[in-house]
């Protein structure tokens, strides 16, 4: 039942995309297409997740580009500015999605570079949480960055997968890779972890898991420790009408694994102010 539902949703979204193509102004056309996806996510994600178009800001005053879709903590994260373009403190952001009408190589690389720049802004400071029983600290999850295209623009998923691997080799640091991307009606491209020693393979879309995997491999190599033979590879899923359903389920998986800090606006006003301890019942 669920696959059929998502197939119907994808056809509806693509039909609305084609309708938006009647708008002549390129900026208005793109904005309408972004709105289609923002509207779906705002309606169907759990209400603890906020959806906005806008900029992410750090306590040091750095701004991201204007992201097509920001997914943030709607319960604990204040929106600093909420007009057509929102401004949201980065500590309360789970991740961003870049939406492209046509996912040519140039458009794909541009979107992936924007995700890289956004991820470089993400803080790694510990958060302090106080409950009735104890005080604990935690390091926030690394944010995600996804790319959604409505059309291949004469390209192919296989060629985009190669473009992605080449770009990631240039970026080098797995902290800053796009997590996965899709083209509606065509398919989705993601990473997979294959453990040749155990004969196992698993989904690899989580930034923290990706970073931990690479760090562990380097640590064991540096210490001359024996470790499993692990291969990372990009997987092209030619899902056609099932693409959006898989994209949405992977997004839910990503969000369920994440824990982020509550923005401390006192630090935004004055870094000399004491840190706020978040109290949880």
């Amino acid at each position: 039942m669920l696959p059929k539902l998502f197939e119907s949703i994808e056809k509806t979204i693509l039909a609305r995309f084609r309708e938006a193509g009647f708008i002549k102004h390129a900026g208005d056309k793109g904005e309408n297409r972004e709105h289609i996806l923002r509207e779906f996510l705002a309606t169907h994600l759990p209400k603890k997740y906020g959806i906005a178009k806008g900029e992410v800001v750090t306590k040091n005053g750095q701004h991201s580009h204007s992201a097509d879709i920001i997914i943030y903590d709607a319960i604990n994260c204040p929106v600093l500015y909420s007009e057509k373009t929102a401004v949201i403190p980065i500590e309360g952001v789970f991740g961003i999605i870049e939406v492209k009408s046509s996912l040519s190589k140039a458009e794909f690389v541009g979107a992936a570079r924007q995700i890289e720049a956004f991820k470089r802004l993400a803080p790694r400071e510990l958060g302090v949480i106080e409950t009735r029983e104890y005080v604990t600290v935690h390091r926030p999850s690394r944010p995600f960055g996804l790319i959604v295209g409505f059309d291949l623009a004469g390209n192919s998923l296989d060629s985009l997968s190669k473009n992605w691997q080449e770009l990631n080799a240039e970026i080098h640091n797995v902290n800053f890779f796009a997590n996965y991307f899709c083209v509606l009606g065509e398919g989705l491209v993601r990473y997979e972890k294959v453990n040749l020693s155990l004969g196992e393979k698993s989904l690899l879309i989580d930034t923290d898991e990706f970073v931990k995997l690479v760090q562990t491999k380097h640590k064991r190599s540096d210490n001359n420790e024996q470790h499993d033979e692990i291969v990372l590879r990009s997987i092209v899923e030619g899902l056609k009408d099932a693409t959006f359903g898989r994209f949405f389920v992977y997004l839910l998986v990503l969000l369920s694994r994440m824990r982020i800090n509550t923005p401390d606006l006192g630090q935004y006003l004055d870094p000399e102010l004491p840190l706020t301890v978040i109290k949880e019942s």
Side-chain angles (χ1 to χ4, degrees):
M1 177 180 175
L2 193 58
K4 291 293 184 183
L5 174 63
F6 277 123
E7 284 181 22
S8 176
I9 290 170
E10 184 152 357
K11 289 175 181 176
T12 300
I13 289 174
L14 286 171
R16 291 184 63 189
F17 162 76
R18 286 187 282 271
E19 288 175 5
F22 285 102
I23 299 171
K24 296 299 181 183
H25 188 275
D28 291 344
K29 183 187 298 185
E31 189 169 321
N32 275 276
R33 288 169 173 172
E34 295 164 19
H35 176 72
I36 293 169
L37 186 53
R38 279 198 300 271
E39 183 181 60
F40 178 89
L41 295 176
T43 303
H44 293 86
L45 283 177
K47 295 308 176 187
K48 65 181 179 179
Y49 301 114
I51 305 295
K53 173 185 175 65
E55 299 178 3
V56 172
V57 64
T58 72
K59 63 184 180 183
N60 297 322
Q62 296 173 287
H63 285 247
S64 73
H65 67 290
S66 182
D68 295 330
I69 298 174
I70 300 171
I71 301 181
Y72 65 95
D73 181 353
I75 297 173
N76 298 304
C77 179
V79 178
L80 302 180
Y81 185 77
S82 60
E83 296 300 323
K84 190 174 182 180
T85 298
V87 177
I88 300 175
I90 194 165
E91 291 85 358
V93 173
F94 291 99
I96 64 171
I97 304 174
E98 292 302 309
V99 183
K100 299 297 176 184
S101 294
S102 297
L103 204 58
S104 63
K105 177 182 178 179
E107 291 280 8
F108 173 77
V109 171
R113 286 294 189 184
Q114 287 178 320
I115 287 170
E116 176 195 1
F118 155 72
K119 286 190 168 190
R120 287 184 182 276
L121 297 177
R124 299 294 293 146
E125 291 94 342
L126 292 171
V128 183
I129 298 173
E130 180 180 351
T131 68
R132 293 178 180 177
E133 291 82 22
Y134 55 84
V135 175
T136 185
V137 295
H138 79 97
R139 198 169 300 281
S141 302
R142 295 170 174 87
F144 61 79
L146 314 177
I147 303 170
V148 175
F150 282 91
D151 186 78
L152 271 173
N155 211 332
S156 71
L157 289 176
D158 287 329
S159 63
L160 284 173
S161 177
K162 291 177 183 177
N163 298 152
W164 192 31
Q165 293 176 65
E166 292 167 0
L167 179 60
N168 286 345
E170 290 180 25
I171 296 172
H172 185 64
N173 190 327
V174 297
N175 276 285
F176 311 130
F177 292 178
N179 293 68
Y180 62 89
F181 65 92
C182 73
V183 179
L184 300 187
E186 296 291 341
L188 182 145
V189 182
R190 59 170 175 83
Y191 271 107
E192 179 178 75
K193 177 179 73 173
V194 181
N195 189 320
L196 299 177
S197 303
L198 300 177
E200 298 175 348
K201 60 182 180 179
S202 59
L203 186 70
L204 187 58
I205 56 173
D206 182 288
T207 305
D208 285 339
E209 183 183 1
F210 209 147
V211 171
K212 182 179 179 181
L213 178 66
V214 172
Q215 288 177 340
T216 300
K217 184 176 181 180
H218 288 167
K219 181 180 178 180
R220 288 180 174 174
S221 295
D222 292 342
N223 295 331
N224 295 317
E225 298 175 9
Q226 185 176 0
H227 51 81
D228 292 339
E229 187 177 357
I230 292 176
V231 175
L232 306 179
R233 63 186 183 189
S234 64
I235 299 297
V236 177
E237 299 185 72
L239 299 161
K240 298 301 182 181
D241 289 343
T243 298
F244 186 74
R246 192 68 59 91
F247 166 84
F248 186 67
V249 169
Y250 286 169
L251 175 59
L252 290 172
V253 170
L254 271 177
L255 289 168
S256 70
R257 294 176 178 178
M258 297 183 71
R259 185 174 187 181
I260 60 178
N261 286 336
T262 297
D264 186 350
L265 293 192
Q267 295 288 301
Y268 277 71
L269 288 175
D270 183 354
E272 299 300 320
L273 289 174
L275 292 173
T276 299
V277 177
I278 306 302
K279 295 187 178 184
E280 291 186 350
S281 55

